[in-house]
Amino acid sequence: MFENLIEILKANPRRIVFPEGPDARILSAAARLKKEGFLTPVLIGNVEEVKAAAEKGGFDIEGLEIIDPMTYEKMDEMVETMVALRKGKMSAEDCAKNLKKSNYFGTMLVKMGLADALLGGATYSTADTVRPALQLVKTRKGATLVSSCFILVKEGADMLCMGDCAINIDYQDTVDKEGNVLVSAAQKLAEVAVGTAHTAKVFGIDPKVAMLSYSTKGSGKGANVDLVRNATAIAREMAPELNIDGEMQFDAAVSPVVGQLKFPGSPVAGYANTFIFPEIQSGNIGYKIAQRLGGFAAYGPILQGLNAPINDLSRGCDAEEVYQMAIITAALA
């Protein structure tokens, strides 16, 4: 998988921002990326602090761009741009204060076209990575939410994709003050399904999307089943070119015998490689079962629905994970 993504990046050079420049894991990955030459890291932080941390760790970052928000020459322009983006929700003083934080500053570099992607979260929480992205980069046209997926890789097995396992706790209708439904829960789940399928394609997966449930084709009843069934219908309308089927239990999704018994002729049932969970609890459990018991390496969470690739690391990540997620994030650009 990474060989293919690296070839894409060699043909399409990209700049990726690391908001946590002084972190040793970030510096290790940045030094490796600099040496290999297919991706340009941009480090955020106090220049002397970043250089001192690199020297202490023995990381060669000579020649890499390090930007300190506290001394950035075009800060006035950046503040002005952020004020316009926030549309009265933040004053110039508030924007200037936030832009001294590397997560906001790095996100604005992406928004202003000075970088192509951002990878944060080595020390920041997921919320502190996603919030600036939602406020500044914002969701792409037609998207009503940000979601995530994981790519699962195992030697000798086909790659898999699972979503959403990290962002959306569950799916609820969005209503106005009068109680009118603006965006239904099913629409949101359908959007996750289509977005995850498109992400899967980036990684060379021909998506066969299973909308997972505790019910298979009406075998179970209840609001959760209705949600998945309705989302399946909406997802098919949104992207008729995709193979999407459901609602189905996991065995029907992966076992040809079970799947084709219950969904005769379905291109998905029994052959699924892209799995959509009805809420975060089952999604998080599901991908970790594949990881810990199935022996799959899990890459993500990969954020979907934003206008630019911005991804979140686990605070428990190591330098190898930073390196891998940097490649994934930049390739999405």
Side-chain angles (χ1 to χ4, degrees):
M1 179 181 80
F2 286 100
E3 290 177 0
N4 292 336
L5 296 179
I6 288 169
E7 289 304 312
I8 290 172
L9 289 169
K10 285 180 178 178
N12 302 274
R14 292 291 183 261
R15 286 164 55 85
I16 184 168
V17 175
F18 293 100
E20 297 136 323
D23 188 279
R25 297 161 295 176
I26 301 298
L27 290 167
S28 176
R32 183 176 172 186
L33 291 167
K34 174 210 163 188
K35 181 179 179 181
E36 295 177 353
F38 57 82
L39 184 56
T40 301
V42 178
L43 302 170
I44 307 301
N46 176 275
V47 176
E48 296 306 317
E49 183 182 349
V50 172
K51 287 182 176 180
E55 184 176 355
K56 180 180 179 181
F59 307 122
D60 178 14
I61 62 167
E62 185 67 32
L64 290 186
E65 186 174 10
I66 305 169
I67 307 177
D68 184 352
M70 305 302 291
T71 58
Y72 185 56
E73 294 180 354
K74 297 182 179 180
M75 181 57 79
D76 289 345
E77 178 186 344
M78 185 175 279
V79 170
E80 185 178 340
T81 303
M82 184 171 170
V83 170
L85 288 168
R86 296 303 292 135
K87 296 179 179 178
K89 295 178 181 177
M90 280 188 185
S91 66
E93 183 180 353
D94 290 335
C95 289
K97 182 179 179 181
N98 275 302
L99 286 170
K100 291 178 181 178
K101 303 172 185 176
S102 61
N103 57 336
Y104 273 92
F105 182 82
T107 304
M108 276 301 295
L109 290 179
V110 176
K111 177 62 182 178
M112 296 175 72
L114 301 173
D116 300 294
L118 178 146
L119 180 62
T123 58
Y124 280 114
S125 68
T126 296
D128 285 335
T129 300
V130 175
R131 187 185 306 108
L134 286 171
Q135 292 176 350
L136 305 175
V137 171
K138 303 184 179 181
T139 54
R140 57 177 168 74
K141 186 177 181 180
T144 62
L145 79 172
V146 173
S147 63
S148 74
C149 70
F150 283 81
I151 302 295
L152 290 99
V153 181
K154 180 180 178 180
E155 187 174 353
D158 292 337
M159 284 194 292
L160 307 175
C161 191
M162 294 184 173
D164 178 352
C165 308
I167 298 295
N168 293 288
I169 302 298
D170 57 17
Y171 302 94
Q172 303 289 334
D173 293 343
T174 299
V175 299
D176 62 19
K177 293 179 180 179
E178 286 73 41
N180 300 307
V181 176
L182 302 176
V183 184
S184 72
Q187 286 175 280
K188 295 177 182 179
L189 183 56
E191 188 176 317
V192 172
V194 173
T196 301
H198 288 157
T199 301
K201 285 185 175 182
V202 173
F203 295 91
I205 299 171
D206 179 15
K208 297 177 177 61
V209 184
M211 305 292 286
L212 298 177
S213 173
Y214 61 80
S215 167
T216 299
K217 206 174 183 181
S219 65
K221 305 295 181 183
N224 291 334
V225 176
D226 293 340
L227 168 67
V228 178
R229 184 182 301 121
N230 293 336
T232 302
I234 295 169
R236 284 172 168 170
E237 291 177 3
M238 291 173 62
E241 75 282 3
L242 294 175
N243 289 318
I244 302 174
D245 218 340
E247 83 286 4
M248 67 177 71
Q249 293 163 287
F250 192 79
D251 57 349
V254 299
S255 167
V257 173
V258 177
Q260 291 302 306
L261 176 65
K262 296 184 176 182
F263 285 88
S266 170
V268 174
Y271 308 104
N273 55 23
T274 303
F275 304 94
I276 307 303
F277 295 88
E279 34 68 40
I280 196 174
Q281 182 164 249
S282 57
N284 190 270
I285 292 168
Y287 99 81
K288 288 185 176 179
I289 288 174
Q291 185 181 32
R292 300 299 177 179
L293 297 184
F296 282 84
Y299 299 102
I302 300 166
L303 300 188
Q304 305 168 152
L306 292 167
N307 273 316
I310 292 178
N311 277 327
D312 179 47
L313 294 160
S314 163
R315 278 174 282 181
C317 67
D318 58 25
E320 180 68 18
E321 290 175 81
V322 176
Y323 170 81
Q324 292 169 338
M325 282 300 296
I327 294 172
I328 288 170
T329 304
L332 291 169

